[in-house]
Amino acid sequence: MGNFKGHALPGSFFLIVGIWWCVKFSFWHVSRRKKNACPFATKAVYRRVEIIEATVIVVFSLIGMIAEQFVPDGPHLTLFNHKEQHWDHLMNWQHTTMYLFYGIAGAVTIAVHTTAAAPVAFDRLMLSIAVFVEGFLFLYHLHGRDMLDVHVHMLLLYAIFGGALTVFLEVFLRGNILLELLRTSLCLLQGSWFWQIGFVLYPPSGAPQWDLQDHNNMMFITMCYCWHYAFSLLLVAGIYTITSWVLHSKLKRIPQMEMGLLKRDHERESDDDM
Amino acid sequence: MGNFKGHALPGSFFLIVGIWWCVKFSFWHVSRRKKNACPFATKAVYRRVEIIEATVIVVFSLIGMIAEQFVPDGPHLTLFNHKEQHWDHLMNWQHTTMYLFYGIAGAVTIAVHTTAAAPVAFDRLMLSIAVFVEGFLFLYHLHGRDMLDVHVHMLLLYAIFGGALTVFLEVFLRGNILLELLRTSLCLLQGSWFWQIGFVLYPPSGAPQWDLQDHNNMMFITMCYCWHYAFSLLLVAGIYTITSWVLHSKLKRIPQMEMGLLKRDHERESDDDM
Amino acid sequence: MGNFKGHALPGSFFLIVGIWWCVKFSFWHVSRRKKNACPFATKAVYRRVEIIEATVIVVFSLIGMIAEQFVPDGPHLTLFNHKEQHWDHLMNWQHTTMYLFYGIAGAVTIAVHTTAAAPVAFDRLMLSIAVFVEGFLFLYHLHGRDMLDVHVHMLLLYAIFGGALTVFLEVFLRGNILLELLRTSLCLLQGSWFWQIGFVLYPPSGAPQWDLQDHNNMMFITMCYCWHYAFSLLLVAGIYTITSWVLHSKLKRIPQMEMGLLKRDHERESDDDM
Amino acid sequence: MGNFKGHALPGSFFLIVGIWWCVKFSFWHVSRRKKNACPFATKAVYRRVEIIEATVIVVFSLIGMIAEQFVPDGPHLTLFNHKEQHWDHLMNWQHTTMYLFYGIAGAVTIAVHTTAAAPVAFDRLMLSIAVFVEGFLFLYHLHGRDMLDVHVHMLLLYAIFGGALTVFLEVFLRGNILLELLRTSLCLLQGSWFWQIGFVLYPPSGAPQWDLQDHNNMMFITMCYCWHYAFSLLLVAGIYTITSWVLHSKLKRIPQMEMGLLKRDHERESDDDM
C-alpha cells in the first residue's frame, strides 16, 4: 500500500459507500415520514436493498482478499518466509484480515435479513466490529514512522474509531437518522482523507515533497482535516436536501402542520416499522 | 491571537452567550412547567427565538471569518507563502476554520427550524461538532510551548470537550434542563477562563510576569480554574433563581403541591411539547 | 496534610458517610418494595432526611473551610506571600476549594428539596461535580513525587472518579439501587484507602519505612487496593442484608411470590414515587 | 504462572465458560421467542440454571484459591518473607485475589436468585467488577518486561476490559442477546489468547524462540489477535445456528411471518419475562 494508488483506491471506495449510504438513509427517512405516499418504500423493499448491499460487500471483500494474496508481489498464502526467517508480506496479510471482517459483517447482514434466526441488530454490531478492527490494525501500523506520517494516520483513525462508535450506538438506537448521517459523514471523511494522505506522502511528480518533521505542516494538516469534514458535512446536507426535494416534488402536498406534529414520533421509529 | 485582546474578545463572547443561554433555558423550563400561565411561551415563539439566535451566530461567524482574513496583518485568503516557503498566517486560518463550523451549525439550526425537512435534533448535533472542532484545533496548537502555557490551554480544553460532550448528550435527551444548564456553566467557564489566560500569559503592564515553568504556579492555576467554575455555577444558579422568581411573581399562585407531583413528567418533556 | 492524621481524618469521614449512605439506600429500597408496610417511609420523611443530610454536609464544609484557613499554620486568607514571592499554603487553599464544592452541592440539595424551584436531579449533578473537582485537584497534586507515592494516590483517584461517574449516571437513573450501592462501595473504598495511604507514607513509629521506588511494593499495593474493595463490597452486602432482615422481621410476612413479580417494576421506581 | 501450563489452564477454562455461555444464551433467546413451544424453558428452570452455574463458579474459585496458596511452591498464606525482607509469592496472591472476586460474584448471584432480597441485576454488576479487577491486576503485572511480552498482555487486557464493559452494560440492558453474545465472544477470545500467549512466551521444545523485541513480530501478533477474534465470532455464530436449528427442528412449524413482527418486542424482553 506504500504508494499513491494504494491510498486512492480505498479512498474512492469509502467515498462511494458514503454517498450510497447518504442517498439510502435520506430516502428511507423522508419516505418513512409520509406513509402511503411512496408506494415502493415498503419493508420488503428495504430488506431486499439491505441484502443486495451486503452481497456486494461480501463479493468485494472476497475479491479484495484474493487480490491481496495473489497479486504478483503478494504472499500467495505464505505467512512465513523460512529462508529469510521473517514474516512474509505482513501488509498484504493485514489488508486480508480487514477484508475478512468486512466479509463476516456482510455475511451476518445477509443472514439476519433473509432468515428470522437472529435479531436484525446483529448487522450493526458486526459492522461496528469490522470498522473497529480496521482501526485497530492501523493503530499498530505506525511504529517508527515520521511525525507527519504518524499524524495523518492518527487523524484517519479518529474518523475510523468515530465511525465504529457511531455504528455501535446504532445497535441500540436503530434507524436513528442522526446517527446514520453522522456515520455517513465520517465514512466520507475517511474516504477523502485517504486521498489526502496519498497526496501528502506520495506527492504527484513535479510537486514538492512535504517536510515530514515540520510542526507547521502538522498544524496545517490538522486544519485541513477539519476542512475535509466540513466538505463531508456539506455533501451529506446537499444529498439529503436533493433527495428530500425530489421525493416532495413527486409526492405532492402533504399538510405541513401535521408533519411538524408527527416529527418527533417518526424520529424514534425504527426502520422495521415502515 | 498572541496578545491580551485576542483572549479577552472570545472570552467576552462566550460569557455573553453563556448568560443568554442561561436566561433562555431558565425561562423556557420555568414557563413550561406551568402551561397556560405564560401566554407568549408558545411553540411558535420558541422556534422564532431559536431562528434569531442562529441568525446572529451565522452573522457573527461571517464577520469573524472576514475579519480574520482581511485585518491588516491577515492572510488575505493566501494560504501558502511561496516566497518564504511556509504556511501563511496559520493562526488566522485556524480561527477562520473554527468560525466556519459555528457558521455551519447556525445555518443548520435555521434550516431545521424554518422547514420541516429534517429532525430538529440536527441543531444540537452540529453544535456539538462545532464545539468539538474548536477543541480539536486548539489541541494541536500547543506543541513546544512552556509548561504553564500548555497547562492553561489544557484546562480550557476540558471546558470545551466537556461542552461538546454535553451538547452531544442533548441530541438524545433534548430539552433536559440539567444538560442545558451544565452546558451553560461550561460555556461561562470557557469565557471567564479565556480572560484568565489573557491575564496569565500577557499580564497588564506593571504586573509581574508569571514564571511559566514553576510547578507551584501550575497547582495554583488548577485551583483557580475550580474557582472560575464555582463562580460560573453560582452565576447560573443566580440567573435561574431570578428568572424563576420573576416569572412566579408575575404569574401568581399555582398550587405548590400539584407542581411537586408534576415535576418529574415535566422534566422529561421536550422543548417541542410546550 | 503531609502526616498520618491528615489522611486518617478524611478517611474516617468517607467511611462514616459510606456507612450512612449504605443504611439509607438499603432502608429506602427495601421499604419502597413493600408499600404501606412501613408507615414512616413516606415521601415527606424521605425529603426531610435528604435536607438534614445536606445541612450536615454544608455545616461540615463550612467548618472545614474555616479550619483550613485559620489553623495556626494556615494561610489566614492570604493567598500570596509577597515577602518570599510564592503562593502561600497552596495545600490549605486546595482543601478549602474542595470543601467549597461540597458546600455548594449541599446548598443546592437543600434548595431543590425545600422549594419546587428546580428539578431534584440537580442534587446528584452537583454532587457529581463536587466529587469530580476533588479528584481533579488531587490529579495535579502529584507532580515530582516518588513512584509509590504517586501510585497510591492514582489508586485513590480511580475510586474518586469512579464515584463521580456513578453519581453522574444517577442523574439520569435516579433511585437505581445498583448505582446507589456502587457509589456507596466506592465511597467506602476511598475512606479505607485514605487510611492505607496514611500507613504507607507515614508508618507509625517503630514500623519499617516503605521503599517508595520498589516495583514489588507497587504490585503489592495494587493487590491490597483490591482487598480494600472486597472488604468494602462485603461491608455493603452485610449492611444491606441486616437492614433488609430487620425490616422484614418487623414487618412480618409478605407473599414471597408477589415480590418476585413486582421486583422489576420497583427497581425502576424513582425515590419520588414512594 | 511463568510457564506454558500456567497460560493453557486459564485459557481452557475461559474457552469452556465461553462455549457454555454461548449455548445457554442461544437456547434461552430462541426458546423465549416462541412461548409455550419449549415446555421446560420456564422461569424456574432458568433460575435453577443460574444458581447451578454460580455454585460451580464459587466452588472453582475456592479450589483455585486453595490451590494457589498450598501448592508446594506456594505462599501457604504467608504474605511477607521476613528473612529476605520482600513480599512472598506475589503472583500467587494476585491470582488468589482474582479468584476471590469471582467467588464473590458467584456468591452474590446465588443470593439474588435464591432469595428476593435484592435486585437480580446485582449478579451482572458483581461479574463486571470481578472481570474488571482481573484486568486491573494484570495491568500492573507488566512493568519492565520485553516489548512483545507487554504487547500480548495488553491485547489480553482489551478482551478483559471489553468484557467488563459489556457486562456493565448488561446491568442496564439485561437479557439483551447482542450484549450477551458479545460478552461470550470476548470470553472465547480471552481463552484462546491465553493459549496463544503460552505458545509465544514458552514455545514448545523444538520450536524456535520468538524475538521479543522485533517490531514485525508485534505487527504479526496484532493481526493474529484479530484472527482469534474472527475464530471466536465464527464459533459463536456456529453454536447459535446449531442451537437455533435443533430447537426449530424439534418444535416444528411456527408461522414465519408472525415471528418477524414479534421480533422487536422480544429483543427488549428481559430474562425475567419468559
Side-chain angles (χ1 to χ4, degrees):
Chain A
M1 214 175 185
N3 54 41
F4 182 79
K5 230 184 75 186
H7 286 90
L9 198 71
S12 310
F13 181 73
F14 281 110
L15 281 174
I16 291 167
V17 169
I19 289 169
W20 157 243
W21 278 351
C22 195
V23 172
K24 184 180 78 166
F25 291 132
S26 303
F27 185 83
W28 287 121
H29 179 69
V30 174
S31 63
R32 206 166 52 195
R33 279 169 58 184
K34 26 190 96 67
K35 308 200 184 194
N36 317 324
C38 189
F40 62 96
T42 62
K43 191 168 175 175
V45 172
Y46 171 76
R47 190 161 280 194
R48 213 167 304 149
V49 170
E50 288 284 24
I51 293 166
I52 293 168
E53 183 188 315
T55 312
V56 171
I57 288 174
V58 171
V59 170
F60 268 78
S61 299
L62 285 174
I63 293 174
M65 288 164 77
I66 292 164
E68 287 286 343
Q69 290 293 325
F70 298 106
V71 286
D73 62 339
H76 297 268
L77 297 179
T78 318
L79 187 53
F80 195 73
N81 188 332
H82 286 282
K83 211 158 60 197
E84 304 181 24
Q85 287 291 317
H86 63 68
W87 302 104
D88 208 29
H89 295 93
L90 264 185
M91 282 279 190
N92 296 60
W93 277 100
Q94 285 192 329
H95 298 149
T96 307
T97 307
M98 290 179 191
Y99 293 135
L100 173 65
F101 274 83
Y102 278 108
I104 294 175
V108 167
T109 304
I110 296 174
V112 297
H113 280 105
T114 50
T115 71
V120 281
F122 268 111
D123 60 350
R124 298 288 198 271
L125 184 60
M126 288 310 305
L127 184 59
S128 171
I129 290 172
V131 179
F132 181 81
V133 166
E134 186 200 343
F136 192 72
L137 286 171
F138 265 119
L139 193 62
Y140 291 98
H141 235 237
L142 305 177
H143 186 87
R145 298 198 185 180
D146 287 315
M147 189 181 75
L148 192 66
D149 194 346
V150 168
H151 186 60
V152 290
H153 281 95
M154 284 306 294
L155 292 174
L156 186 68
L157 285 177
Y158 290 132
I160 295 174
F161 285 125
L165 191 67
T166 310
V167 180
F168 188 73
L169 285 178
E170 279 187 61
V171 172
F172 304 102
L173 296 163
R174 192 183 179 79
N176 184 313
I177 184 70
L178 284 117
L179 288 177
E180 286 169 347
L181 292 189
L182 182 60
R183 184 226 296 191
T184 301
S185 71
L186 289 167
C187 180
L188 288 168
L189 171 62
Q190 194 186 340
S192 69
W193 194 247
F194 259 119
W195 276 88
Q196 182 72 45
I197 293 180
F199 278 111
V200 170
L201 300 185
Y202 314 99
S205 56
Q209 294 288 323
W210 289 61
D211 178 352
L212 297 181
Q213 299 293 350
D214 183 9
H215 183 64
N216 276 327
N217 279 340
M218 200 169 124
M219 270 171 59
F220 169 72
I221 223 72
T222 309
M223 186 168 62
C224 192
Y225 182 75
C226 292
W227 295 349
H228 277 258
Y229 195 47
F231 156 79
S232 156
L233 288 172
L234 294 176
L235 191 57
V236 169
I239 292 174
Y240 183 89
T241 310
I242 292 169
T243 312
S244 197
W245 179 78
V246 167
L247 271 172
H248 273 98
S249 62
K250 269 187 61 186
L251 300 174
K252 293 288 145 46
R253 278 178 309 274
I254 287 137
Q256 192 73 10
M257 202 187 69
E258 186 193 13
M259 275 184 56
L261 293 172
L262 290 172
K263 217 169 186 180
R264 284 184 54 243
D265 309 312
H266 283 295
E267 280 161 33
R268 283 171 194 158
E269 254 187 343
S270 92
D271 286 337
D272 292 345
D273 295 341
M274 288 186 297
Chain B
M1 213 172 186
N3 54 40
F4 182 79
K5 229 183 77 186
H7 285 90
L9 198 70
S12 310
F13 182 72
F14 281 111
L15 281 174
I16 290 166
V17 169
I19 289 168
W20 156 241
W21 278 350
C22 196
V23 172
K24 185 179 78 166
F25 291 133
S26 304
F27 184 83
W28 287 121
H29 179 69
V30 173
S31 63
R32 206 166 51 196
R33 278 168 60 184
K34 29 189 93 71
K35 307 199 185 197
N36 315 325
C38 189
F40 61 97
T42 63
K43 191 168 173 177
V45 172
Y46 172 76
R47 190 160 280 192
R48 213 167 303 150
V49 170
E50 288 284 25
I51 293 166
I52 293 168
E53 182 188 315
T55 311
V56 172
I57 288 174
V58 171
V59 170
F60 268 77
S61 300
L62 285 174
I63 293 173
M65 288 164 78
I66 292 164
E68 286 285 343
Q69 289 293 325
F70 298 106
V71 287
D73 62 338
H76 297 268
L77 297 178
T78 318
L79 187 54
F80 195 73
N81 188 331
H82 285 281
K83 212 158 59 197
E84 304 180 23
Q85 287 289 317
H86 63 68
W87 301 103
D88 209 28
H89 296 92
L90 265 185
M91 283 278 189
N92 296 60
W93 277 101
Q94 285 193 328
H95 299 149
T96 307
T97 307
M98 290 178 191
Y99 293 135
L100 174 65
F101 274 84
Y102 279 107
I104 294 175
V108 168
T109 305
I110 295 174
V112 297
H113 281 105
T114 51
T115 71
V120 281
F122 268 111
D123 61 349
R124 298 287 199 272
L125 184 60
M126 288 308 308
L127 184 60
S128 171
I129 291 173
V131 179
F132 180 81
V133 166
E134 187 201 341
F136 192 72
L137 285 171
F138 265 119
L139 193 61
Y140 292 99
H141 234 238
L142 305 177
H143 187 87
R145 298 199 184 179
D146 288 314
M147 190 181 76
L148 191 67
D149 194 347
V150 168
H151 186 59
V152 290
H153 281 94
M154 284 305 295
L155 291 174
L156 185 68
L157 284 177
Y158 290 132
I160 295 174
F161 285 125
L165 191 67
T166 309
V167 180
F168 188 74
L169 285 177
E170 278 187 61
V171 172
F172 304 102
L173 297 162
R174 195 186 177 77
N176 184 312
I177 184 70
L178 283 117
L179 289 177
E180 285 169 348
L181 292 189
L182 182 60
R183 186 227 296 188
T184 302
S185 72
L186 289 168
C187 181
L188 288 169
L189 172 62
Q190 194 185 341
S192 69
W193 194 247
F194 259 119
W195 276 88
Q196 182 73 46
I197 293 178
F199 277 112
V200 170
L201 300 185
Y202 314 99
S205 57
Q209 293 289 320
W210 290 61
D211 177 353
L212 298 181
Q213 299 293 351
D214 183 9
H215 183 64
N216 275 327
N217 279 339
M218 200 169 124
M219 270 172 59
F220 169 72
I221 222 71
T222 309
M223 187 169 61
C224 191
Y225 182 73
C226 293
W227 294 348
H228 277 259
Y229 195 47
F231 156 78
S232 156
L233 288 172
L234 293 177
L235 191 58
V236 168
I239 292 174
Y240 184 88
T241 309
I242 291 169
T243 312
S244 198
W245 180 79
V246 167
L247 271 172
H248 273 98
S249 62
K250 269 185 62 184
L251 301 172
K252 295 286 144 46
R253 277 179 310 276
I254 287 137
Q256 191 72 10
M257 201 187 69
E258 186 192 15
M259 277 184 55
L261 294 172
L262 290 172
K263 217 170 187 180
R264 283 185 54 244
D265 309 312
H266 283 294
E267 280 162 32
R268 282 170 195 156
E269 253 187 346
S270 95
D271 286 336
D272 292 343
D273 295 342
M274 290 186 296
Chain C
M1 214 173 187
N3 55 41
F4 182 79
K5 229 183 75 187
H7 286 89
L9 197 70
S12 310
F13 182 72
F14 282 111
L15 281 175
I16 291 167
V17 170
I19 290 169
W20 156 242
W21 277 351
C22 196
V23 172
K24 184 179 78 164
F25 290 133
S26 303
F27 184 83
W28 287 122
H29 179 69
V30 173
S31 64
R32 205 164 54 197
R33 279 168 61 185
K34 26 190 96 66
K35 308 200 182 194
N36 316 324
C38 188
F40 61 98
T42 62
K43 193 169 172 174
V45 171
Y46 172 76
R47 190 161 281 191
R48 213 167 304 149
V49 170
E50 289 284 26
I51 293 167
I52 293 168
E53 184 188 315
T55 311
V56 171
I57 288 174
V58 171
V59 170
F60 269 77
S61 299
L62 284 175
I63 293 174
M65 287 163 78
I66 291 165
E68 287 285 343
Q69 289 294 325
F70 297 107
V71 287
D73 62 339
H76 297 268
L77 297 178
T78 317
L79 187 55
F80 195 73
N81 187 332
H82 285 282
K83 211 157 60 195
E84 305 181 23
Q85 287 290 316
H86 63 66
W87 301 104
D88 208 29
H89 296 92
L90 266 185
M91 283 279 190
N92 296 61
W93 278 101
Q94 285 192 329
H95 299 149
T96 307
T97 307
M98 291 180 190
Y99 293 134
L100 173 66
F101 274 85
Y102 279 108
I104 294 175
V108 167
T109 305
I110 295 174
V112 297
H113 281 104
T114 50
T115 71
V120 281
F122 268 111
D123 61 349
R124 298 288 198 271
L125 185 60
M126 288 310 306
L127 184 59
S128 171
I129 291 172
V131 179
F132 181 80
V133 166
E134 186 201 341
F136 192 73
L137 285 172
F138 265 119
L139 193 61
Y140 291 99
H141 233 241
L142 305 176
H143 187 86
R145 299 199 185 178
D146 287 314
M147 190 181 74
L148 191 67
D149 193 347
V150 169
H151 186 60
V152 291
H153 281 95
M154 284 306 294
L155 292 173
L156 185 68
L157 285 177
Y158 290 132
I160 295 174
F161 284 127
L165 191 67
T166 309
V167 179
F168 188 73
L169 285 177
E170 278 187 61
V171 172
F172 303 102
L173 297 162
R174 192 184 178 78
N176 184 313
I177 184 70
L178 283 117
L179 288 176
E180 285 169 347
L181 292 189
L182 183 59
R183 185 225 298 188
T184 301
S185 71
L186 289 168
C187 180
L188 288 169
L189 172 60
Q190 194 185 340
S192 69
W193 195 246
F194 259 118
W195 276 88
Q196 182 72 46
I197 293 179
F199 278 112
V200 169
L201 299 185
Y202 314 98
S205 56
Q209 293 290 320
W210 290 61
D211 177 353
L212 296 180
Q213 299 294 348
D214 183 9
H215 184 62
N216 275 327
N217 279 339
M218 199 169 125
M219 270 172 58
F220 169 73
I221 222 72
T222 309
M223 187 169 61
C224 190
Y225 182 72
C226 293
W227 294 347
H228 276 259
Y229 196 46
F231 156 78
S232 155
L233 288 172
L234 293 176
L235 191 58
V236 169
I239 292 174
Y240 184 88
T241 310
I242 291 169
T243 312
S244 198
W245 180 78
V246 167
L247 271 173
H248 273 98
S249 61
K250 268 185 59 185
L251 301 173
K252 295 288 145 43
R253 275 177 312 274
I254 287 136
Q256 192 73 6
M257 201 186 69
E258 188 193 14
M259 275 185 54
L261 293 171
L262 289 173
K263 216 170 188 182
R264 282 183 55 246
D265 308 313
H266 283 295
E267 280 163 32
R268 282 172 195 153
E269 253 187 346
S270 93
D271 288 336
D272 293 343
D273 296 341
M274 288 188 296
Chain D
M1 216 176 186
N3 55 40
F4 182 78
K5 229 184 76 187
H7 285 89
L9 197 72
S12 310
F13 181 73
F14 282 111
L15 281 174
I16 291 167
V17 169
I19 290 169
W20 156 242
W21 278 350
C22 196
V23 172
K24 184 180 78 166
F25 290 133
S26 303
F27 184 84
W28 287 122
H29 180 69
V30 173
S31 64
R32 206 165 51 196
R33 279 168 60 183
K34 26 188 97 63
K35 308 199 182 197
N36 316 324
C38 189
F40 63 96
T42 62
K43 191 168 172 177
V45 172
Y46 171 76
R47 189 162 280 193
R48 211 166 305 150
V49 170
E50 288 285 24
I51 293 167
I52 293 167
E53 184 187 314
T55 311
V56 171
I57 288 175
V58 170
V59 170
F60 268 76
S61 300
L62 285 175
I63 293 172
M65 287 163 77
I66 291 164
E68 287 286 343
Q69 290 294 325
F70 298 106
V71 287
D73 62 339
H76 298 269
L77 297 179
T78 318
L79 187 53
F80 195 73
N81 187 331
H82 285 281
K83 210 156 62 195
E84 304 180 24
Q85 287 291 317
H86 63 69
W87 302 104
D88 208 30
H89 296 93
L90 264 186
M91 282 278 190
N92 296 60
W93 277 101
Q94 285 192 328
H95 298 149
T96 307
T97 308
M98 290 180 191
Y99 294 134
L100 174 65
F101 274 85
Y102 279 108
I104 294 174
V108 167
T109 305
I110 296 175
V112 297
H113 281 105
T114 50
T115 71
V120 281
F122 268 111
D123 61 349
R124 299 288 199 271
L125 184 61
M126 288 311 305
L127 184 59
S128 171
I129 290 172
V131 179
F132 181 82
V133 166
E134 187 201 342
F136 192 73
L137 285 172
F138 265 119
L139 193 61
Y140 291 99
H141 233 240
L142 305 176
H143 187 88
R145 299 198 184 181
D146 287 314
M147 189 180 76
L148 191 67
D149 193 346
V150 169
H151 186 59
V152 290
H153 282 94
M154 283 306 294
L155 292 173
L156 185 69
L157 285 177
Y158 289 133
I160 295 174
F161 285 125
L165 191 66
T166 310
V167 180
F168 188 73
L169 285 178
E170 278 188 61
V171 172
F172 304 102
L173 297 163
R174 192 184 179 78
N176 184 313
I177 184 71
L178 283 118
L179 288 177
E180 285 169 348
L181 292 189
L182 182 60
R183 183 226 298 191
T184 301
S185 72
L186 289 168
C187 180
L188 288 168
L189 172 62
Q190 194 185 339
S192 69
W193 195 246
F194 260 119
W195 276 87
Q196 181 72 45
I197 293 178
F199 279 111
V200 169
L201 299 186
Y202 314 99
S205 56
Q209 293 290 321
W210 289 61
D211 178 353
L212 297 181
Q213 298 294 349
D214 183 9
H215 183 64
N216 276 328
N217 279 339
M218 199 170 125
M219 270 171 59
F220 169 72
I221 222 72
T222 309
M223 186 169 61
C224 191
Y225 182 74
C226 293
W227 295 348
H228 277 259
Y229 196 47
F231 156 79
S232 155
L233 287 172
L234 293 176
L235 190 58
V236 169
I239 292 173
Y240 184 88
T241 310
I242 292 169
T243 312
S244 198
W245 180 79
V246 168
L247 271 172
H248 273 97
S249 62
K250 268 186 61 186
L251 301 173
K252 296 287 147 43
R253 276 177 312 273
I254 287 138
Q256 191 74 9
M257 202 187 68
E258 187 192 15
M259 276 185 55
L261 293 172
L262 289 172
K263 217 170 188 179
R264 283 182 55 243
D265 308 313
H266 284 294
E267 281 162 31
R268 283 173 194 154
E269 256 186 343
S270 93
D271 287 337
D272 292 344
D273 295 341
M274 288 187 297

